[in-house]
Amino acid sequence: MAIDPMVGDLAGETDRLRAAGALTRIELLGVPAWTVTEHNLARQLLTDPRLVKDIGSWKLFTDGVVTREWPLIGMIDVKRSMFTVDGAEHRRLRIKTTQALSRRRLDALRPIVERYVAELLDDLEAAGAAGDPVDLKQVFAYPLPMRVVSELMGVPHTDNEQLLTWYKAFFSLLTPQDERLATIDELTTYYTALVRKKTATPADDLTSALIHENGDGEEPLTEEEVIGNLEALVAAGHETTVNLILATVRALLSNPEQLARIRADEVSWADAVEETLRFDGPVIHLLMRFATEDIVLDQGVIPAGDGVVISYRAIGRDTGVHGADADVYDSSRPTAHRNISFGFGPHICPGATLARLEAAVALPALFARFPNLRAAGDLAALPNMPVLTQNDLSALPVLLT
Protein backbone atom coordinates (compact mmCIF):
# COMPACT_ATOMS: atom_id res chain seq x y z
CA MET A 1 0.00 0.00 0.00
CA ALA A 2 1.10 3.57 -0.65
CA ILE A 3 1.77 5.79 2.37
CA ASP A 4 -0.04 9.12 2.08
CA PRO A 5 2.59 11.89 1.95
CA MET A 6 -0.02 14.54 2.79
CA VAL A 7 -1.19 12.66 5.89
CA GLY A 8 -4.81 13.25 4.90
CA ASP A 9 -6.28 10.27 6.77
CA LEU A 10 -3.84 9.17 9.45
CA ALA A 11 -6.40 7.10 11.35
CA GLY A 12 -7.51 5.31 8.20
CA GLU A 13 -3.95 4.66 7.11
CA THR A 14 -3.13 3.19 10.52
CA ASP A 15 -6.13 0.89 10.29
CA ARG A 16 -5.13 -0.25 6.79
CA LEU A 17 -1.56 -0.93 7.87
CA ARG A 18 -2.73 -2.96 10.85
CA ALA A 19 -5.12 -4.93 8.64
CA ALA A 20 -2.35 -5.63 6.11
CA GLY A 21 -0.36 -7.60 8.68
CA ALA A 22 2.62 -7.45 10.99
CA LEU A 23 5.03 -7.18 8.04
CA THR A 24 3.74 -5.62 4.86
CA ARG A 25 4.96 -4.06 1.64
CA ILE A 26 4.54 -0.29 1.33
CA GLU A 27 5.46 2.48 -1.06
CA LEU A 28 7.10 5.69 0.13
CA LEU A 29 6.82 8.36 -2.56
CA GLY A 30 7.42 5.76 -5.25
CA VAL A 31 10.06 3.78 -3.35
CA PRO A 32 9.16 0.27 -2.11
CA ALA A 33 9.97 -0.87 1.40
CA TRP A 34 8.70 -3.13 4.17
CA THR A 35 6.95 -1.88 7.25
CA VAL A 36 6.47 -3.42 10.68
CA THR A 37 3.16 -2.82 12.47
CA GLU A 38 3.26 -5.33 15.35
CA HIS A 39 4.81 -4.62 18.75
CA ASN A 40 6.61 -7.92 19.32
CA LEU A 41 7.93 -8.18 15.77
CA ALA A 42 9.26 -4.63 16.01
CA ARG A 43 11.10 -5.48 19.24
CA GLN A 44 12.57 -8.53 17.54
CA LEU A 45 13.76 -6.67 14.44
CA LEU A 46 15.01 -3.61 16.32
CA THR A 47 17.54 -5.87 18.05
CA ASP A 48 18.40 -7.96 14.98
CA PRO A 49 22.00 -7.28 13.88
CA ARG A 50 21.07 -8.17 10.31
CA LEU A 51 19.09 -4.92 10.08
CA VAL A 52 21.48 -1.98 9.95
CA LYS A 53 21.34 1.80 9.59
CA ASP A 54 24.12 1.96 6.96
CA ILE A 55 22.59 3.24 3.71
CA GLY A 56 25.34 1.39 1.87
CA SER A 57 23.36 -1.79 2.54
CA TRP A 58 20.29 -0.49 0.67
CA LYS A 59 20.23 -2.01 -2.84
CA LEU A 60 17.96 0.67 -4.30
CA PHE A 61 20.50 3.30 -3.25
CA THR A 62 23.66 1.50 -4.32
CA ASP A 63 22.05 0.63 -7.67
CA GLY A 64 21.20 4.30 -8.24
CA VAL A 65 17.43 3.83 -8.20
CA VAL A 66 17.09 6.13 -5.18
CA THR A 67 19.04 9.38 -5.61
CA ARG A 68 19.33 12.74 -3.90
CA GLU A 69 16.18 13.76 -5.75
CA TRP A 70 14.01 11.51 -3.57
CA PRO A 71 12.33 13.84 -1.02
CA LEU A 72 13.05 11.58 1.98
CA ILE A 73 16.73 10.98 1.23
CA GLY A 74 17.82 13.69 3.67
CA MET A 75 16.52 11.59 6.56
CA ILE A 76 18.58 8.56 5.57
CA ASP A 77 21.70 9.65 3.66
CA VAL A 78 23.13 11.80 6.43
CA LYS A 79 26.46 12.45 8.09
CA ARG A 80 28.16 9.78 10.13
CA SER A 81 26.69 9.79 13.62
CA MET A 82 25.27 7.43 16.22
CA PHE A 83 22.10 7.38 14.10
CA THR A 84 23.82 5.93 11.01
CA VAL A 85 26.17 3.23 12.32
CA ASP A 86 25.78 -0.01 14.27
CA GLY A 87 27.67 -2.31 16.61
CA ALA A 88 30.86 -1.14 18.27
CA GLU A 89 30.99 2.11 16.30
CA HIS A 90 27.44 2.95 17.33
CA ARG A 91 28.36 2.38 20.97
CA ARG A 92 31.42 4.61 20.59
CA LEU A 93 29.40 7.45 19.10
CA ARG A 94 26.41 7.04 21.41
CA ILE A 95 28.27 6.82 24.73
CA LYS A 96 29.34 10.45 24.43
CA THR A 97 25.72 11.54 24.26
CA THR A 98 24.48 9.30 27.06
CA GLN A 99 27.32 10.50 29.29
CA ALA A 100 26.57 14.12 28.44
CA LEU A 101 22.83 13.60 29.03
CA SER A 102 23.56 12.71 32.61
CA ARG A 103 21.08 12.88 35.47
CA ARG A 104 23.06 15.85 36.78
CA ARG A 105 22.66 17.75 33.53
CA LEU A 106 18.94 16.97 33.26
CA ASP A 107 18.34 17.88 36.90
CA ALA A 108 20.07 21.20 36.26
CA LEU A 109 17.90 21.70 33.18
CA ARG A 110 14.56 21.25 34.97
CA PRO A 111 14.33 24.75 36.52
CA ILE A 112 15.25 26.19 33.12
CA VAL A 113 12.40 24.22 31.52
CA GLU A 114 10.08 25.53 34.25
CA ARG A 115 11.16 29.11 33.51
CA TYR A 116 10.60 28.73 29.77
CA VAL A 117 7.18 27.16 30.39
CA ALA A 118 6.18 30.06 32.65
CA GLU A 119 7.33 32.62 30.07
CA LEU A 120 5.42 30.92 27.27
CA LEU A 121 2.29 30.61 29.41
CA ASP A 122 2.49 34.38 29.88
CA ASP A 123 2.69 34.74 26.09
CA LEU A 124 -0.27 32.40 25.72
CA GLU A 125 -2.34 34.40 28.19
CA ALA A 126 -1.52 37.63 26.39
CA ALA A 127 -2.44 36.12 23.02
CA GLY A 128 -5.82 34.97 24.33
CA ALA A 129 -6.58 37.99 26.48
CA ALA A 130 -9.40 39.20 24.27
CA GLY A 131 -11.16 35.86 24.50
CA ASP A 132 -10.33 34.88 20.93
CA PRO A 133 -8.96 31.46 19.95
CA VAL A 134 -5.20 31.08 20.22
CA ASP A 135 -3.00 28.49 18.54
CA LEU A 136 -1.47 26.42 21.32
CA LYS A 137 1.10 25.04 18.92
CA GLN A 138 2.45 28.32 17.62
CA VAL A 139 2.54 30.19 20.93
CA PHE A 140 3.44 27.42 23.39
CA ALA A 141 4.29 23.92 22.19
CA TYR A 142 6.34 24.93 19.14
CA PRO A 143 8.87 27.32 20.72
CA LEU A 144 9.35 25.45 24.02
CA PRO A 145 11.39 22.40 22.91
CA MET A 146 13.69 24.45 20.68
CA ARG A 147 14.48 26.75 23.61
CA VAL A 148 15.21 23.73 25.79
CA VAL A 149 17.34 21.82 23.30
CA SER A 150 19.21 25.02 22.46
CA GLU A 151 19.99 25.50 26.15
CA LEU A 152 21.19 21.91 26.36
CA MET A 153 23.32 21.99 23.21
CA GLY A 154 24.68 25.52 23.64
CA VAL A 155 22.86 26.90 20.60
CA PRO A 156 22.27 30.68 20.82
CA HIS A 157 18.60 31.45 21.44
CA THR A 158 18.82 34.24 18.90
CA ASP A 159 19.11 31.49 16.27
CA ASN A 160 15.98 29.60 17.32
CA GLU A 161 13.62 31.16 14.78
CA GLN A 162 16.01 30.49 11.93
CA LEU A 163 16.48 26.88 13.02
CA LEU A 164 12.73 26.35 13.28
CA THR A 165 12.32 27.77 9.77
CA TRP A 166 15.00 25.47 8.39
CA TYR A 167 13.55 22.37 10.04
CA LYS A 168 10.03 23.20 8.90
CA ALA A 169 11.30 23.37 5.32
CA PHE A 170 13.32 20.19 5.75
CA PHE A 171 10.44 18.04 7.02
CA SER A 172 7.62 19.40 4.85
CA LEU A 173 6.89 17.40 1.72
CA LEU A 174 5.65 20.61 0.09
CA THR A 175 9.21 21.96 0.00
CA PRO A 176 10.75 21.59 -3.48
CA GLN A 177 13.65 19.16 -3.36
CA ASP A 178 16.23 21.71 -4.51
CA GLU A 179 15.18 23.96 -1.63
CA ARG A 180 15.31 21.04 0.81
CA LEU A 181 18.84 20.15 -0.29
CA ALA A 182 19.86 23.79 0.06
CA THR A 183 18.36 23.80 3.57
CA ILE A 184 20.41 20.73 4.48
CA ASP A 185 23.54 22.56 3.31
CA GLU A 186 22.59 25.63 5.38
CA LEU A 187 22.11 23.48 8.48
CA THR A 188 25.50 21.85 7.91
CA THR A 189 27.18 25.23 7.53
CA TYR A 190 25.50 26.46 10.71
CA TYR A 191 26.43 23.44 12.84
CA THR A 192 29.96 23.31 11.48
CA ALA A 193 30.52 26.88 12.62
CA LEU A 194 28.98 26.11 16.02
CA VAL A 195 31.16 23.03 16.56
CA ARG A 196 34.32 24.91 15.61
CA LYS A 197 33.38 27.69 18.01
CA LYS A 198 32.84 25.18 20.83
CA THR A 199 36.09 23.45 19.94
CA ALA A 200 37.97 26.69 20.42
CA THR A 201 35.90 27.95 23.36
CA PRO A 202 34.13 25.12 25.20
CA ALA A 203 31.25 25.77 27.58
CA ASP A 204 29.05 23.75 29.93
CA ASP A 205 26.81 22.31 27.22
CA LEU A 206 26.31 19.03 25.42
CA THR A 207 28.05 20.12 22.21
CA SER A 208 31.23 20.94 24.13
CA ALA A 209 30.91 17.62 25.96
CA LEU A 210 30.70 15.72 22.67
CA ILE A 211 33.85 17.45 21.49
CA HIS A 212 35.97 17.42 24.62
CA GLU A 213 34.89 14.72 27.10
CA ASN A 214 36.95 11.59 26.57
CA GLY A 215 37.49 9.90 29.89
CA ASP A 216 36.30 6.48 28.71
CA GLY A 217 39.35 5.44 26.73
CA GLU A 218 37.50 5.67 23.41
CA GLU A 219 38.92 7.64 20.52
CA PRO A 220 37.51 11.18 20.29
CA LEU A 221 34.67 11.94 17.93
CA THR A 222 35.66 13.51 14.64
CA GLU A 223 34.28 16.90 13.67
CA GLU A 224 31.91 15.20 11.20
CA GLU A 225 30.67 12.85 13.92
CA VAL A 226 30.02 15.71 16.36
CA ILE A 227 28.18 17.66 13.67
CA GLY A 228 26.14 14.59 12.71
CA ASN A 229 25.14 13.89 16.30
CA LEU A 230 24.34 17.56 16.91
CA GLU A 231 22.19 17.95 13.80
CA ALA A 232 20.15 14.84 14.57
CA LEU A 233 19.76 15.62 18.28
CA VAL A 234 18.44 19.13 17.69
CA ALA A 235 16.07 17.94 14.95
CA ALA A 236 14.67 15.04 16.96
CA GLY A 237 14.93 16.84 20.29
CA HIS A 238 12.49 19.58 19.37
CA GLU A 239 10.18 17.94 16.82
CA THR A 240 9.14 14.94 18.90
CA THR A 241 8.45 17.02 22.01
CA VAL A 242 6.23 19.50 20.16
CA ASN A 243 4.16 16.57 18.91
CA LEU A 244 4.04 14.84 22.30
CA ILE A 245 2.72 17.94 24.09
CA LEU A 246 0.08 18.69 21.45
CA ALA A 247 -1.10 15.08 21.18
CA THR A 248 -1.52 14.83 24.96
CA VAL A 249 -3.49 18.08 25.12
CA ARG A 250 -5.71 16.95 22.24
CA ALA A 251 -6.30 13.56 23.88
CA LEU A 252 -7.26 15.10 27.22
CA LEU A 253 -9.52 17.76 25.72
CA SER A 254 -11.17 15.01 23.64
CA ASN A 255 -11.60 12.86 26.75
CA PRO A 256 -12.52 15.21 29.61
CA GLU A 257 -13.19 12.28 31.93
CA GLN A 258 -9.49 11.38 31.60
CA LEU A 259 -8.47 14.93 32.53
CA ALA A 260 -10.82 14.77 35.52
CA ARG A 261 -9.11 11.60 36.73
CA ILE A 262 -5.73 13.30 36.57
CA ARG A 263 -7.05 16.28 38.50
CA ALA A 264 -8.48 13.89 41.09
CA ASP A 265 -5.04 12.20 41.42
CA GLU A 266 -6.49 8.89 40.25
CA VAL A 267 -3.86 8.71 37.50
CA SER A 268 -0.67 10.68 37.04
CA TRP A 269 0.52 13.04 34.36
CA ALA A 270 3.24 10.50 33.62
CA ASP A 271 0.54 7.90 32.94
CA ALA A 272 -1.20 10.28 30.56
CA VAL A 273 2.05 10.95 28.69
CA GLU A 274 2.82 7.23 28.31
CA GLU A 275 -0.71 6.58 27.03
CA THR A 276 -0.23 9.37 24.49
CA LEU A 277 3.06 7.83 23.39
CA ARG A 278 1.22 4.57 22.81
CA PHE A 279 -2.00 5.93 21.34
CA ASP A 280 -0.88 8.96 19.31
CA GLY A 281 2.89 9.13 19.57
CA PRO A 282 5.17 11.75 18.00
CA VAL A 283 6.56 9.43 15.30
CA ILE A 284 4.37 7.86 12.60
CA HIS A 285 7.00 6.03 10.54
CA LEU A 286 10.72 5.79 11.32
CA LEU A 287 13.04 5.57 8.31
CA MET A 288 14.93 3.23 7.67
CA ARG A 289 16.94 0.06 8.30
CA PHE A 290 18.41 -2.28 5.72
CA ALA A 291 18.71 -6.06 5.58
CA THR A 292 22.29 -7.28 5.15
CA GLU A 293 21.01 -10.78 4.32
CA ASP A 294 17.69 -12.51 3.80
CA ILE A 295 15.77 -12.37 7.08
CA VAL A 296 13.33 -15.27 7.34
CA LEU A 297 10.42 -14.62 9.72
CA ASP A 298 7.15 -16.32 10.53
CA GLN A 299 5.48 -13.31 8.90
CA GLY A 300 7.51 -13.49 5.67
CA VAL A 301 10.98 -12.87 4.24
CA ILE A 302 12.81 -9.54 4.10
CA PRO A 303 15.26 -9.94 1.20
CA ALA A 304 18.86 -8.78 1.51
CA GLY A 305 19.23 -5.16 0.48
CA ASP A 306 15.63 -4.18 1.20
CA GLY A 307 14.64 -1.26 3.42
CA VAL A 308 12.49 -1.61 6.52
CA VAL A 309 10.32 1.11 8.11
CA ILE A 310 9.03 0.89 11.68
CA SER A 311 5.44 2.18 11.80
CA TYR A 312 5.25 3.24 15.42
CA ARG A 313 1.70 4.59 15.31
CA ALA A 314 0.35 1.27 14.06
CA ILE A 315 2.44 -0.58 16.64
CA GLY A 316 0.88 1.50 19.41
CA ARG A 317 -2.55 0.24 18.37
CA ASP A 318 -1.51 -3.43 18.56
CA THR A 319 -4.55 -5.16 20.09
CA GLY A 320 -2.47 -8.23 20.94
CA VAL A 321 -0.45 -6.15 23.41
CA HIS A 322 -2.79 -3.34 24.44
CA GLY A 323 -6.17 -5.06 24.30
CA ALA A 324 -9.21 -5.00 22.05
CA ASP A 325 -9.78 -1.32 22.94
CA ALA A 326 -6.34 -0.21 21.73
CA ASP A 327 -8.03 2.53 19.67
CA VAL A 328 -9.32 4.12 22.87
CA TYR A 329 -7.31 6.64 24.91
CA ASP A 330 -7.16 5.43 28.53
CA SER A 331 -4.55 6.99 30.81
CA SER A 332 -5.02 4.16 33.33
CA ARG A 333 -4.21 1.48 30.75
CA PRO A 334 -1.83 -0.96 32.47
CA THR A 335 0.12 -1.64 29.26
CA ALA A 336 0.70 2.03 28.34
CA HIS A 337 4.22 1.99 29.78
CA ARG A 338 5.08 -0.90 27.46
CA ASN A 339 5.02 1.43 24.47
CA ILE A 340 8.15 1.55 22.30
CA SER A 341 7.44 4.96 20.79
CA PHE A 342 10.99 6.14 21.45
CA GLY A 343 12.38 2.99 19.88
CA PHE A 344 13.82 -0.20 21.30
CA GLY A 345 17.23 -1.84 21.41
CA PRO A 346 20.60 -0.19 20.79
CA HIS A 347 19.14 2.76 18.83
CA ILE A 348 16.49 3.74 21.39
CA CYS A 349 16.13 7.52 21.38
CA PRO A 350 18.78 9.07 23.67
CA GLY A 351 16.56 12.10 24.25
CA ALA A 352 13.53 10.18 25.52
CA THR A 353 14.14 11.24 29.13
CA LEU A 354 14.40 14.88 28.10
CA ALA A 355 11.14 14.74 26.11
CA ARG A 356 9.35 13.18 29.08
CA LEU A 357 10.81 15.87 31.37
CA GLU A 358 9.51 18.67 29.17
CA ALA A 359 6.05 17.11 28.96
CA ALA A 360 6.04 16.51 32.73
CA VAL A 361 6.67 20.22 33.33
CA ALA A 362 4.61 21.73 30.50
CA LEU A 363 1.35 19.82 30.75
CA PRO A 364 0.42 20.25 34.44
CA ALA A 365 1.53 23.88 34.31
CA LEU A 366 -0.67 24.53 31.26
CA PHE A 367 -3.81 23.00 32.77
CA ALA A 368 -3.16 24.61 36.17
CA ARG A 369 -2.77 28.06 34.59
CA PHE A 370 -5.85 27.62 32.39
CA PRO A 371 -8.28 25.28 34.20
CA ASN A 372 -11.02 26.08 31.66
CA LEU A 373 -8.83 25.35 28.64
CA ARG A 374 -10.95 23.94 25.83
CA ALA A 375 -10.82 23.33 22.12
CA ALA A 376 -11.87 26.12 19.78
CA GLY A 377 -13.06 23.69 17.11
CA ASP A 378 -13.48 20.05 16.18
CA LEU A 379 -10.44 18.24 17.58
CA ALA A 380 -11.08 15.23 15.37
CA ALA A 381 -10.88 17.39 12.24
CA LEU A 382 -7.49 18.99 12.93
CA PRO A 383 -5.20 18.39 9.93
CA ASN A 384 -1.61 17.26 10.11
CA MET A 385 1.29 18.98 8.42
CA PRO A 386 2.48 17.30 5.20
CA VAL A 387 5.19 15.43 7.13
CA LEU A 388 5.30 11.70 6.48
CA THR A 389 7.42 10.67 9.46
CA GLN A 390 6.17 12.85 12.34
CA ASN A 391 2.71 13.17 13.89
CA ASP A 392 2.78 16.92 13.37
CA LEU A 393 -0.49 18.84 13.88
CA SER A 394 -0.82 21.97 11.74
CA ALA A 395 -2.36 23.89 14.66
CA LEU A 396 -4.31 23.40 17.88
CA PRO A 397 -6.73 26.33 18.38
CA VAL A 398 -7.90 26.66 21.98
CA LEU A 399 -9.90 29.00 24.20
CA LEU A 400 -8.33 29.82 27.55
CA THR A 401 -11.41 30.88 29.55
Side-chain angles (χ1 to χ4, degrees):
M1 61 175 283
I3 299 300
D4 178 10
M6 296 297 107
V7 201
D9 180 18
L10 184 55
E13 179 178 274
T14 301
D15 289 343
R16 291 189 292 274
L17 283 170
R18 294 279 306 135
L23 179 71
T24 193
R25 199 71 164 153
I26 60 171
E27 183 181 287
L28 297 169
L29 303 180
V31 172
W34 296 92
T35 195
V36 180
T37 66
E38 183 185 79
H39 180 100
N40 290 330
L41 180 59
R43 285 168 59 103
Q44 175 185 339
L45 290 174
L46 288 169
T47 56
D48 192 321
R50 297 171 296 177
L51 272 183
V52 301
K53 301 297 288 288
D54 179 10
I55 195 172
S57 297
W58 191 16
K59 191 172 188 300
L60 290 177
F61 182 75
T62 56
D63 287 352
V65 176
V66 173
T67 68
R68 296 292 289 174
E69 296 310 307
W70 187 49
L72 301 175
I73 194 66
M75 298 183 186
I76 305 172
D77 184 20
V78 295
K79 293 177 188 61
R80 178 180 172 83
S81 74
M82 64 179 172
F83 299 93
T84 61
V85 298
D86 299 277
E89 277 299 278
H90 171 255
R91 288 189 293 273
R92 183 181 75 83
L93 295 178
R94 183 184 175 92
I95 194 171
K96 305 293 183 183
T97 301
T98 55
Q99 288 174 342
L101 280 172
S102 64
R103 174 53 59 187
R104 176 192 66 82
R105 192 180 296 276
L106 290 178
D107 286 346
L109 197 59
R110 186 181 186 97
I112 296 171
V113 176
E114 291 171 345
R115 173 164 57 86
Y116 290 150
V117 165
E119 291 172 355
L120 290 169
L121 290 176
D122 288 343
D123 294 343
L124 192 64
E125 184 170 16
D132 296 325
V134 57
D135 183 1
L136 187 70
K137 177 180 181 178
Q138 190 63 35
V139 181
F140 182 69
Y142 190 51
L144 174 64
M146 182 58 80
R147 291 189 187 185
V148 173
V149 79
S150 294
E151 186 77 31
L152 178 68
M153 306 301 296
V155 174
H157 289 290
T158 52
D159 297 340
N160 282 3
E161 286 300 320
Q162 179 61 73
L163 287 168
L164 286 169
T165 299
W166 279 331
Y167 281 117
K168 183 177 181 179
F170 172 76
F171 285 115
S172 174
L173 291 177
L174 297 181
T175 303
Q177 185 62 0
D178 59 340
E179 292 182 22
R180 191 188 330 277
L181 294 174
T183 296
I184 292 171
D185 289 342
E186 289 175 311
L187 284 164
T188 296
T189 298
Y190 176 84
Y191 286 119
T192 299
L194 179 65
V195 167
R196 289 176 180 173
K197 178 182 177 181
K198 298 292 182 180
T199 300
T201 313
D204 184 20
D205 54 53
L206 198 151
T207 301
S208 299
L210 291 175
I211 297 167
H212 295 282
E213 287 186 11
N214 192 41
D216 51 20
E218 298 279 0
E219 64 177 286
L221 302 190
T222 67
E223 181 178 86
E224 180 190 11
E225 290 167 344
V226 174
I227 294 168
N229 276 0
L230 178 58
E231 285 190 17
L233 284 166
V234 175
H238 86 275
E239 185 72 20
T240 55
T241 308
V242 174
N243 303 337
L244 176 57
I245 291 170
L246 291 176
T248 306
V249 172
R250 177 167 65 170
L252 293 175
L253 294 183
S254 301
N255 299 275
E257 75 286 354
Q258 297 288 320
L259 181 57
R261 297 190 69 188
I262 294 171
R263 285 173 164 156
D265 292 327
E266 295 176 11
V267 294
S268 68
W269 283 104
D271 292 332
V273 167
E274 294 306 316
E275 177 66 350
T276 300
L277 288 168
R278 177 205 71 81
F279 173 79
D280 196 21
V283 175
I284 303 172
H285 308 289
L286 188 66
L287 313 183
M288 187 181 290
R289 294 169 190 249
F290 312 102
T292 57
E293 60 182 80
D294 290 354
I295 301 176
V296 180
L297 304 162
D298 293 340
Q299 299 85 353
V301 178
I302 303 173
D306 276 13
V308 177
V309 174
I310 309 298
S311 290
Y312 281 108
R313 192 175 193 277
I315 288 166
R317 306 299 181 94
D318 188 337
T319 56
V321 173
H322 298 294
D325 65 343
D327 283 327
V328 174
Y329 183 88
D330 179 2
S331 55
S332 64
R333 186 181 302 275
T335 62
H337 289 258
R338 292 179 60 189
N339 76 79
I340 56 170
S341 296
F342 284 115
F344 185 76
H347 282 278
I348 190 170
C349 176
T353 303
L354 177 60
R356 287 184 169 103
L357 168 63
E358 292 179 66
V361 172
L363 291 165
L366 171 68
F367 282 95
R369 181 77 165 265
F370 304 108
N372 297 316
L373 183 75
R374 63 195 191 280
D378 183 358
L379 288 167
L382 294 175
N384 271 48
M385 296 286 288
V387 177
L388 187 145
T389 51
Q390 276 80 249
N391 186 13
D392 189 0
L393 278 179
S394 295
L396 180 49
V398 296
L399 293 166
L400 305 180
T401 59

